[in-house]
């Protein structure tokens, strides 16, 4: 595990960010790194900001200085008849402009090298021993997640919420089912496009526990705005417990209401798209719902996962997320309550 | 020195010559006559006015978007409408405003600055304008029939492909491209020919006005970049209409290839828009600081270098697609090199201003605004050139902030400066300077209020092209501020229009050269006659109106009873031969109508390509029907 990266300009960052927004919403921020990859980028960013900020101030000062010595008025005599200052002035200017140009080249070279060094450091993750491999597939407009493992018993399917163990490198193998999406959890790393018929990779790691929000960053159609993902970084043992419980099929309900709910689910069109392991529902076109009750959000985290929101979502998905591909199914009012309770019981 | 002064010009013979010139260059009358204009001032003005109307359209779309984004979870626009509007906004601003307005300015100014009577191919020029207008009407036909494109101005497949975008929306986008690219290619060809072959005698390559250099570089970039976008849009269009599967991954096509081809055009496109603006800045700086520009050679070489490097860095739009590291490093280096060439120009202008006698005109206010905004935009561009940083800020509001700083700061502010600078030349009246300066301050403040907060939004994780956002992300304050700023910009825009209308009515008479400027356009009348100069000037220096011999040299021996101009040699502009320009003609307009029928119809039915080709063929026969140069009856 890499040491926590330095933040040389934390003060500046805090001021900059507080100026406009207060301190809300740091769960999705490129300047609040929670892992070595994002940390490297953030350090590089503050380095760039410091240098480029200085350049900006110098250039502005130089431009403003022209204003201090102007001679107003159209009737003013122009510079001699030639419209040229004396040759020694031109020589001096040549010197100044040459120095400025050389300084530009040197500064850019420093920035280029620092950028490449950072990039190389980030690429070293590809040599990680014992990485965890998570396949992320973009769909219009949700994330399919599969924890890969050489042992088929240990392969886990889920959606829209990714749990990772703190301190362990994770390889995100991304692709897309339909159009181009982009997987982006800014607190952990930059973005990587998910492209149909291709596989792209990205390495992330969290260096402390936390819940981080990600969002699709490549325009992907009507509901591009509502395609977010939670990444939950947990200590290893807690992660393992979560993983083991997620591997289990959904338990058969014993409560009569829940049994009724399961029947409702299996009898309606839900099964064409959704899978609940442990039942006959094995649809492949929508998120896996085996442990739906444990998730924080629904409809790719458009709404918090609550009984009321779920009811509204199922009854009229188009009002919550216009254009999304979930079928609107006329659920008999008597069936709705058991269905909701059953889905929420899928822990 | 004004070539229209001196003893020989007061003779009766001279008056007679002028009458003949007037008659030869007179515009044809009537509605058909109006459609037949081929003078560069008329065509240039049509470009500028049309483009300005579409700037307003794009601006209204921007206001609609900002209104939607003012609050989290706003329902002012739904996702469908929002996607249409942001796509139309980007498409309009890039294809229907920014490029055409720069072309229009060039069509108007370049022949004047070179001291000739028209562009090299006046009919092609007229045809180019009508094609551009066809593209405008075509896209907005879609907008008003609920078929506005909704796939972004970049139209990445497979989202824009037939599977995920049924209907005709992307077709309208792709075919609009064809229209505007035909138009851009026409202008590029004639600007290059005009600058290379129709300069005033004595205007050797090292004496070309800076603005003409910038248009020369821009025109070459158009010629190399525009075919790429035509390939991209044609691949998309044929995938959609005749199932060619160029870019359809399901059938072995490659969506990344589309991105490569698109950005091979898309990045140079930015330079195509702002290089002319750099030329405008040079012109304004020279005449307002009243000294010869410092570092002419350095600036010209920087422009040319920008033209070359601009083609080598398209991949920085695609870093997130995951390229091998060595390739990324190359494109990072290339992207950063652009900062050197831009930097050199900024340094040279500042050096010029330091040692000149600066006159703070409204145009100069816009130049200072340009320096402030463009430098900031350039510096955030360096951030985007770095692969690791780009991976974070790519496709976020940080990028939105960056390219508005570069395009509004780098192109729109100089353009507004140019409007104020050349308004007297184009209309014969002065524009109100005080109102112009107030306009500047409103635009400058509104601009920064709108776009500066977007840097922070991007760093705080807000992606682009989202129609709404949740309330608990901490984006609401900055977003709301940006919306306020957008309306401030709108006020500035309205003030500018008011100023133009007021000054057209009440502005003081300008005279030929109100700024005491250096280049040849200021030797022509304000507004210029259709023939620009009674006698074509010859030049002996880089600043012909500043540094000239006591006896102004003029060109004689051209026939005035037909539209004759002088062709000069490429390097030294030595007189080469006389060249007769064709008279006005309705055929360019009719040809544009025929091509429009073919282009627009082919979106709905492939047969229209056949009909359009036949009609265009007929029109071309009419256009090129051989005939003697029209001469006046004695």
């Amino acid at each position: 595990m890499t040491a926590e990266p330095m933040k040389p300009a934390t003060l500046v960052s805090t001021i900059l960010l507080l100026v406009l927004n207060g301190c809300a919403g740091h769960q999705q921020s490129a300047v609040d790194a929670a892992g070595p990859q994002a940390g490297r980028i953030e350090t590089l960013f503050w380095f760039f900001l410091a240098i480029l900020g200085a350049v900006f101030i110098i250039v502005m000062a130089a431009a403003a200085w022209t204003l201090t010595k102007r001679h107003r008025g159209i009737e003013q005599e122009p510079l001699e008849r030639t419209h040229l200052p004396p040759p020694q002035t031109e020589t001096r200017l040549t010197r100044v402009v040459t120095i400025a140009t050389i300084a530009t080249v040197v500064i850019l070279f420093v920035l280029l090298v620092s950028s490449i060094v950072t990039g190389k450091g980030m690429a070293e993750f590809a040599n990680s021993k014992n990485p965890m491999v998570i396949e992320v597939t973009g769909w219009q407009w949700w994330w399919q997640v599969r924890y890969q493992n050489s042992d088929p018993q240990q392969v886990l399917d889920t959606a829209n919420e990714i749990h990772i163990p703190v301190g362990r490198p994770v390889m995100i193998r991304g692709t897309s089912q339909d159009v181009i999406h982009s997987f982006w959890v800014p607190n952990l790393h930059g973005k990587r496009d998910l492209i149909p018929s291709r596989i792209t990779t990205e390495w992330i790691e969290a260096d402390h526990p936390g819940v981080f929000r990600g969002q699709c960053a490549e325009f992907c159609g009507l509901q591009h705005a509502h395609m977010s993902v939670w990444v939950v970084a947990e200590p290893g043992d807690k992660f393992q417990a979560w993983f083991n419980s997620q591997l289990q099929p959904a338990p058969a309900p014993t409560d009569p209401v829940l049994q009724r709910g399961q029947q409702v689910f299996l009898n309606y069109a839900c099964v064409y798209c959704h899978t609940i392991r442990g039942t006959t529902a094995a649809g492949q076109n929508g998120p896996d719902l085996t442990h739906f009750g444990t998730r924080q959000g629904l409809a790719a985290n458009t709404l918090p996962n609550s009984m009321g929101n779920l009811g509204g979502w199922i009854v009229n998905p188009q009002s919550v997320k216009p254009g999304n591909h979930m079928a609107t199914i006329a659920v008999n009012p008597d069936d709705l309550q058991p269905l909701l309770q059953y889905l929420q019981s899928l822990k | 020195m004004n070539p229209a002064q001196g003893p020989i010009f007061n003779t009766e013979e001279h008056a007679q010559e002028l009458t003949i010139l007037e008659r030869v260059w007179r515009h044809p009358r009537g509605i058909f006559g109006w459609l037949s204009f081929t003078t560069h001032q008329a065509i240039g003005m049509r470009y500028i006015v049309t483009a300005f109307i579409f700037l307003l359209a794009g601006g209204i779309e921007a206001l609609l978007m900002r209104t939607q984004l003012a609050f989290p979870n706003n329902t002012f626009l739904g996702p469908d409408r929002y996607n249409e509007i942001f796509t139309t906004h980007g498409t309009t601003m890039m294809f229907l405003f920014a490029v055409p307005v720069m072309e229009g300015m060039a069509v108007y100014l370049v022949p004047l600055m070179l001291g000739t009577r028209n562009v090299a191919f006046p009919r092609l020029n007229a045809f180019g304008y009508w094609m551009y207008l066809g593209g405008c009407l075509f896209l907005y036909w879609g907008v008003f029939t609920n078929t506005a494109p909704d796939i972004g101005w970049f139209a990445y497949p497979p989202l824009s492909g037939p599977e995920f975008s049924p209907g005709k929306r992307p077709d309208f986008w792709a075919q609009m491209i064809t229209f505007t690219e035909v138009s851009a290619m026409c202008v590029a060809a004639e600007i290059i020919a005009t600058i290379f072959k129709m300069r005033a005698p004595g205007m050797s390559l090292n004496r070309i006005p800076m603005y003409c250099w910038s248009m020369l570089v821009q025109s070459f970039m158009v010629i190399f970049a525009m075919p790429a976008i035509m390939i991209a849009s044609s691949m998309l269009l044929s995938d959609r209409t005749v199932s060619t599967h160029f870019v359809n991954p399901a059938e072995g096509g490659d969506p990344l290839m589309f991105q490569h081809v698109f950005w091979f055009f898309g990045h140079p496109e930015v330079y195509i828009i702002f290089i002319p603006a750099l030329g405008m800045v040079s012109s304004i700086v020279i005449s307002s600081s009243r000294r010869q520009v410092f570092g002419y050679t350095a600036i010209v070489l920087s422009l040319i270098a920008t033209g070359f490097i601009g083609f080598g860095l398209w991949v920085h739009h695609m870093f997130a697609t995951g390229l091998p590291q060595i390739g990324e490093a190359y494109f990072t280096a290339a992207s950063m090199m652009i900062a050197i060439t831009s930097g050199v120009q900024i340094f040279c202008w500042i050096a010029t201003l330091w040692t000149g006698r600066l006159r703070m005109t409204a145009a100069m206010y816009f130049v200072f605004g340009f320096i402030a905004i463009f430098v900031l935009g350039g510096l955030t561009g360096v951030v985007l050139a770095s692969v690791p940083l780009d991976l974070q800020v790519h496709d976020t509001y940080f990028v939105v902030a960056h390219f508005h700083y570069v395009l509004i700061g780098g192109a729109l502010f100089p353009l507004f400066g140019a409007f104020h600078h050349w308004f007297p030349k184009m209309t014969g009246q002065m524009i109100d300077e005080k109102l112009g300066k107030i306009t500047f301050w409103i635009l400058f403040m509104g601009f920064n209020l709108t776009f500066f907060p977007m840097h922070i939004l991007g760093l705080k994780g807000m992606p682009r092209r989202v129609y709404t956002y949740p309330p608990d992300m901490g984006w609401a304050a900055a977003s709301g501020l940006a919306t306020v700023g957008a309306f401030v910009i709108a006020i500035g825009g309205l003030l500018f229009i008011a100023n133009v209308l007021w000054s057209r009515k009440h502005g003081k008479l300008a005279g030929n050269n109100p700024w005491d400027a250096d280049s040849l356009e200021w030797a022509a009348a304000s507004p210029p006659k259709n023939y620009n100069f009674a006698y074509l000037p010859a030049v002996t220096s880089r600043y012909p109106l500043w540094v000239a011999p006591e006896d102004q040299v003029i060109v004689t021996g051209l026939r005035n009873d037909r539209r004759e101009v002088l062709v000069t040699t490429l390097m030294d502009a030595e007189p080469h031969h006389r060249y007769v320009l064709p008279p006005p003609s309705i055929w360019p307009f009719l040809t544009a109508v025929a091509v429009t029928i073919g282009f627009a119809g082919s979106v709905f039915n492939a047969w229209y390509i056949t009909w359009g080709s036949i009609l265009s063929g007929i029109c071309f026969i009419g256009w090129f029907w051989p005939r003697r140069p029209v001469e006046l009856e004695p």
Side-chain angles (χ1 to χ4, degrees):
Chain A
M1 186 183 151
T2 332
E4 177 152 341
M6 288 195 321
K7 295 174 187 170
T10 317
L11 185 67
V12 185
S13 78
T14 322
I15 293 170
L16 255 179
L17 291 172
L18 290 188
V19 167
L20 287 162
N21 284 338
C23 46
H26 273 223
Q27 284 174 319
Q28 181 171 331
S29 170
V31 282
D32 185 22
Q37 302 284 59
R40 280 201 177 88
I41 299 178
E42 194 188 337
T43 309
L44 184 69
F45 176 75
W46 296 123
F47 179 64
F48 266 57
L49 185 69
I51 291 190
L52 297 176
V55 170
F56 181 72
I57 290 168
I58 292 169
V59 176
M60 285 310 103
W65 195 51
T66 63
L67 292 172
T68 62
K69 35 188 312 185
R70 70 173 173 213
H71 309 263
R72 279 172 178 277
I74 190 165
E75 61 291 328
Q76 178 118 24
E77 276 293 301
L79 298 166
E80 316 302 327
R81 266 193 42 113
T82 54
H83 294 260
L84 261 181
Q88 54 272 36
T89 310
E90 293 292 89
T91 318
R92 225 172 38 236
L93 283 180
T94 311
R95 210 172 300 143
V96 173
V97 169
T98 311
I99 290 170
T101 308
I102 292 172
T104 309
V105 174
V106 171
I107 289 170
L108 287 173
F109 194 73
V110 169
L111 294 178
L112 175 66
V113 170
S114 64
S115 167
I116 291 176
V117 167
T118 304
K120 276 187 105 76
M122 288 160 54
E124 271 163 26
F125 258 74
N127 307 325
S128 303
K129 303 264 183 297
N130 185 30
M132 196 161 89
V133 179
I134 302 178
E135 283 177 7
V136 175
T137 307
W139 292 65
Q140 279 184 327
W141 292 279
W142 60 282
W143 309 90
Q144 181 187 358
V145 178
R146 169 172 288 178
Y147 288 75
Q148 265 306 356
N149 202 303
S150 50
D151 175 4
Q153 298 293 318
Q154 296 284 311
V155 172
L156 170 65
D157 283 306
T158 177
N160 298 329
E161 191 171 313
I162 299 172
H163 289 239
I164 57 170
V166 168
R168 184 172 166 193
V170 176
M171 177 181 164
I172 304 283
R173 281 164 56 93
T175 188
S176 167
Q177 179 67 29
D178 36 48
V179 303
I180 300 175
H181 303 274
S182 193
F183 181 79
W184 182 40
V185 185
N187 298 63
L188 296 176
H189 200 342
K191 44 192 78 65
R192 187 60 83 202
D193 287 355
L194 310 181
I195 304 167
S197 78
R198 281 177 189 250
I199 291 172
T200 53
T201 55
E202 172 169 81
W203 292 82
I204 60 173
E205 184 185 313
D207 54 20
H208 61 80
V211 182
F212 310 109
R213 190 173 185 270
Q215 192 166 355
C216 177
E218 182 63 82
F219 179 65
C220 56
L222 281 176
Q223 284 299 333
H224 170 55
H226 287 140
M227 183 168 167
S228 53
V229 58
W230 285 110
V231 175
V232 183
E234 298 168 315
D237 47 345
K238 222 173 144 198
F239 168 79
Q240 204 53 50
W242 173 86
F243 187 79
N244 290 339
S245 89
Q246 295 276 314
L247 270 181
Q248 305 302 317
T254 47
D255 182 286
V257 180
L258 299 183
Q259 281 174 341
R260 168 94 193 286
Q262 187 184 42
Q263 282 314 305
V264 172
F265 186 90
L266 296 177
N267 289 340
Y268 277 92
C270 316
V271 293
Y272 292 131
C273 297
H274 294 287
T275 294
I276 296 179
R277 277 176 280 128
T279 72
T280 53
Q284 295 293 322
N285 297 323
D288 182 297
L289 298 179
T290 309
H291 295 281
F292 173 76
T294 64
R295 297 207 193 123
Q296 302 193 18
L298 51 89
N301 303 306
T302 305
L303 297 169
N305 190 0
S306 71
M307 195 75 94
N309 284 340
L310 182 62
W313 169 240
I314 290 176
V315 170
N316 190 356
Q318 293 303 322
S319 80
V320 175
K321 199 169 167 179
N324 86 85
H325 297 319
M326 173 143 148
T328 306
I329 295 167
V331 181
N332 191 322
D334 299 340
D335 293 340
L336 187 61
Q337 206 54 33
L339 176 64
L340 298 181
Q341 291 198 10
Y342 169 68
L343 287 172
Q344 292 292 354
S345 77
L346 295 171
K347 298 283 186 188
Chain B
M1 281 309 118
N2 190 332
Q5 290 165 354
I8 69 149
F9 299 110
N10 298 329
T11 58
E12 198 162 310
E13 199 183 331
H14 172 62
Q16 233 171 29
E17 290 286 307
L18 275 190
T19 328
I20 295 172
L21 264 180
E22 290 277 356
R23 279 173 62 199
V24 167
W25 287 87
R26 195 162 49 200
H27 286 309
R29 295 221 171 78
I31 179 77
F32 284 104
W34 191 82
L35 297 172
S36 316
F37 283 16
T38 50
T39 56
H40 74 98
Q41 307 93 336
I43 304 293
M45 196 47 86
R46 284 176 192 180
Y47 265 112
I48 295 167
V49 170
T50 314
F52 199 83
I53 290 170
F54 284 91
L55 169 68
L56 297 182
I60 290 169
E61 285 144 15
L63 291 180
L64 291 172
M65 283 192 285
R66 283 316 320 168
T67 307
Q68 162 67 14
L69 294 172
F71 314 102
N73 285 341
N74 197 0
T75 52
F76 174 68
L77 299 171
D80 187 45
R81 200 60 78 209
Y82 184 86
N83 291 349
E84 280 188 297
I85 288 177
F86 90 71
T87 304
T88 311
H89 168 75
T91 307
T92 302
M93 289 304 199
M94 293 300 254
F95 293 104
L96 305 186
F97 166 65
V99 175
V101 80
M102 293 303 176
E103 285 163 350
M105 290 296 279
V107 164
Y108 195 104
L109 291 172
V110 164
L112 281 163
M113 287 188 171
L114 297 178
T116 185
R117 298 201 194 281
N118 203 341
V119 291
F121 314 116
R123 290 187 177 182
L124 186 70
N125 196 20
F127 173 72
Y129 170 75
W130 296 118
M131 285 310 292
Y132 157 60
L133 187 65
C136 294
L137 298 177
F138 183 65
L139 183 70
Y140 276 77
W141 173 29
V143 169
F144 290 110
T145 55
N146 197 24
T147 4
D150 56 355
I151 33 120
W153 86 282
F154 46 93
Y156 282 0
L159 181 62
S160 57
E163 188 183 350
F164 299 101
S165 291
K168 292 293 175 198
R169 288 175 170 187
D171 302 294
F172 271 77
W173 177 84
Q175 200 63 303
M176 181 280 307
I177 302 278
T178 322
F179 279 98
T180 52
E181 302 326 305
V182 168
S183 157
M185 296 291 273
C186 292
V187 178
E190 80 212 12
I191 291 287
I192 290 175
T194 310
I195 294 179
F196 273 171
K197 297 303 290 178
M198 288 169 66
R199 303 196 301 273
M203 192 186 277
S204 48
L205 278 186
N206 58 348
R207 289 178 182 163
I208 301 183
M210 204 68 83
Y211 175 72
C212 296
W213 265 116
S214 73
M215 280 314 301
L216 188 62
V217 173
Q218 188 251 21
S219 300
F220 272 106
M221 293 190 78
V222 166
I223 283 184
F224 286 100
M226 293 295 179
I229 182 66
M230 281 169 100
I231 289 171
S233 66
S234 305
M235 286 194 299
L236 178 63
L237 206 57
S238 41
D239 269 19
R240 293 181 55 85
T241 50
V242 290
S243 306
T244 44
H245 304 306
F246 283 117
V247 292
N248 177 8
E251 296 289 338
D254 188 354
L256 278 194
M257 178 179 66
F258 179 91
Q259 295 189 14
H260 280 292
V261 179
F262 179 83
W263 288 114
F264 185 79
F265 145 82
H267 197 83
E269 165 86 345
V270 177
Y271 300 102
I272 286 170
I273 290 169
F274 97 88
I275 281 181
L278 301 182
M280 294 169 178
V281 169
S282 289
S283 280
I284 298 170
V285 164
I286 292 170
S287 79
S288 301
S289 66
R290 286 174 287 170
R291 64 153 286 183
Q292 304 187 5
V293 72
F294 173 81
Y296 178 93
T297 316
I299 297 182
V300 169
L301 290 179
S302 296
L303 282 173
I304 297 173
T306 307
F308 279 102
I309 303 169
F311 283 96
L313 33 76
W314 77 93
V315 170
H316 75 219
H317 295 267
M318 298 170 60
F319 282 151
T321 58
L323 292 160
Q325 238 215 326
I326 184 72
E328 291 180 337
Y330 166 78
F331 286 103
T332 299
S335 307
M336 286 187 174
M337 268 166 79
I338 282 284
I340 302 173
T341 58
S342 312
V344 167
Q345 295 179 70
I346 298 272
F347 300 149
C348 287
W349 289 322
I350 291 179
T352 308
L353 293 171
W354 267 348
T355 48
R357 298 271 171 91
L358 183 55
R359 177 176 56 220
M360 283 303 284
T361 57
M364 215 40 231
Y365 275 63
F366 281 98
V367 167
F368 275 100
F370 151 81
I371 291 178
I373 297 173
F374 177 69
V375 168
L376 186 57
L379 294 176
T380 53
V382 175
V383 170
L384 292 172
S386 155
V387 179
L389 295 177
D390 181 76
L391 292 181
Q392 281 288 19
V393 292
H394 175 70
D395 269 342
T396 68
Y397 265 85
F398 189 90
V399 173
V400 178
H402 159 73
F403 71 74
H404 282 96
Y405 267 75
V406 173
L407 285 173
I408 295 188
L412 201 67
F413 271 71
L415 184 71
F416 270 71
F419 284 156
H420 287 83
H421 184 66
W422 279 295
F423 185 87
K425 181 50 61 190
M426 293 175 170
T427 64
Q429 287 160 305
M430 301 301 290
I431 193 162
D432 191 285
E433 283 280 301
K434 197 172 278 170
L435 265 183
K437 289 171 186 173
I438 297 172
T439 309
F440 164 77
W441 282 115
I442 293 176
L443 285 177
F444 186 74
M445 288 188 300
F447 172 82
N448 284 298
L449 198 58
T450 310
F451 294 104
F452 192 80
M454 290 187 185
H455 292 111
I456 292 163
L457 279 178
L459 293 172
K460 295 204 66 178
M462 184 168 182
R464 295 169 75 177
R465 302 172 184 133
V466 291
Y467 75 97
T468 189
Y469 51 92
D472 50 0
M473 301 301 293
W475 298 336
S479 231
L481 210 55
T483 303
V484 174
F487 282 92
V488 176
I489 295 179
I491 293 171
L494 291 179
L495 193 61
F496 172 73
I497 296 172
N499 192 3
V500 167
L501 296 179
W502 189 89
S503 301
R504 285 293 280 140
K505 232 180 159 148
H506 307 286
K508 280 185 297 188
L509 284 185
N512 286 3
N513 192 357
W515 308 125
D516 188 23
D518 62 299
S519 43
L520 282 179
E521 80 271 26
W522 301 103
S526 306
K529 307 281 184 200
N530 287 347
Y531 48 86
N532 286 345
F533 304 96
Y535 294 93
L536 293 184
V539 302
T540 51
S541 86
R542 200 176 276 166
Y543 306 90
L545 301 196
W546 279 355
V547 187
E550 287 300 321
D551 311 320
Q552 172 66 44
V553 189
I554 55 163
V555 177
T556 56
L558 287 180
R559 281 174 64 170
N560 281 347
D561 57 356
R562 51 187 198 179
R563 295 192 169 191
E564 208 169 83
V565 292
L566 187 67
V567 170
T568 52
T569 57
L570 175 63
M571 299 295 287
D572 298 323
E574 285 162 358
H576 199 230
H577 63 88
R578 291 149 52 195
Y579 170 50
V580 188
L581 296 174
S585 162
I586 190 76
W587 286 110
F589 172 75
L590 295 179
T591 312
V593 171
V595 177
T596 300
I597 290 170
F599 282 177
S602 68
V603 164
F604 302 96
N605 185 332
W607 273 103
Y608 274 91
I609 294 181
T610 314
W611 307 134
S613 304
I614 293 172
L615 284 175
S616 318
I618 296 170
C619 290
F620 279 129
I621 293 172
W623 183 337
F624 293 107
W625 196 260
R627 70 194 94 193
R628 288 171 176 283
V630 177
E631 292 170 22
L632 281 188
E633 299 297 318

